[in-house]
Amino acid sequence: MADISVVGIGNIIMQDEGFGVRCAEYLQKITDYPDFVQIIDGGTLGMDLMPYIADTKKLLLIDAMNIDAPVGSFHSFTGDELNAYFKDKISVHDLGVNDMLAVLKLTDNPIEEVIVMGVKPEVVSMGLDMTEKIAEKVPEVAQKAKELVDKWVAEYQK
């Protein structure tokens, strides 16, 4: 198990809904983290992600966000803001992720810090390709994720 986990969540056959997974894939290509960092394609696993992140101390979730904001806008939530984010679910997998985070809070080894970041999707319907506007956001958000994980890695190595 890893102390730092990055999980891209979403459904890649629902166009922009796969944004989180595509960011995780991109992040894997541009980084070479030590063994205590894992980058996971969480897809639509929801609660089934629990065994993979049970001992994680820092968790970053990357997702397409169903929020009242312009298409393609970037957002990041942590702490109590997460409850507000998960209140308006974009898809069924978000319900499972929210439930998983709630269960992990009750364990003997809760996650110390959880951050969700992502963008507002343009199209969420059947299709393998993200829209151009959202696909262009993948490198930008992956870079933001990398900066956060780099900070966590530096803290871990102190």
Side-chain angles (χ1 to χ4, degrees):
M1 294 297 128
D3 292 308
I4 299 170
S5 294
V6 178
V7 181
I9 54 178
N11 189 338
I12 61 169
I13 63 169
M14 296 291 290
Q15 290 186 283
D16 294 343
E17 225 289 296
F19 179 79
V21 172
R22 298 302 182 214
C23 281
E25 292 170 347
Y26 189 91
L27 191 60
Q28 286 174 324
K29 291 177 186 174
I30 66 168
T31 59
D32 184 26
Y33 286 120
D35 290 342
F36 61 86
V37 177
Q38 66 179 348
I39 302 171
I40 302 171
D41 170 353
T44 59
L45 291 175
M47 283 288 284
D48 292 330
L49 283 169
M50 198 130 80
Y52 302 101
I53 62 170
D55 293 324
T56 290
K57 301 295 179 223
K58 307 273 189 181
L59 174 62
L60 172 60
L61 300 169
I62 307 173
D63 197 6
M65 300 182 152
N66 184 24
I67 55 179
D68 185 19
V71 168
S73 59
F74 173 80
H75 302 274
S76 180
F77 301 100
T78 189
D80 292 337
E81 298 170 326
L82 289 176
N83 293 332
Y85 166 67
F86 282 113
K87 181 179 161 217
D88 296 317
K89 294 160 199 58
I90 192 167
S91 66
V92 179
H93 68 83
D94 285 339
L95 176 62
V97 169
N98 193 27
D99 290 345
M100 175 196 60
L101 293 174
V103 169
L104 287 171
K105 283 182 184 177
L106 302 173
T107 66
D108 292 333
N109 198 13
I111 297 173
E112 295 169 7
E113 186 173 5
V114 178
I115 296 177
V116 176
M117 68 170 56
V119 299
K120 166 87 175 200
E122 184 172 13
V123 176
V124 177
S125 63
M126 293 300 284
L128 295 176
D129 296 323
M130 287 191 294
T131 59
E132 184 177 336
K133 184 171 191 165
I134 302 306
E136 289 174 351
K137 296 289 184 175
V138 169
E140 175 186 326
V141 174
Q143 183 60 40
K144 289 177 188 286
K146 181 184 180 307
E147 290 167 8
L148 175 64
V149 174
D150 288 350
K151 181 182 121 197
W152 284 346
V153 167
E155 290 171 5
Y156 183 88
Q157 293 177 327
K158 283 185 183 179

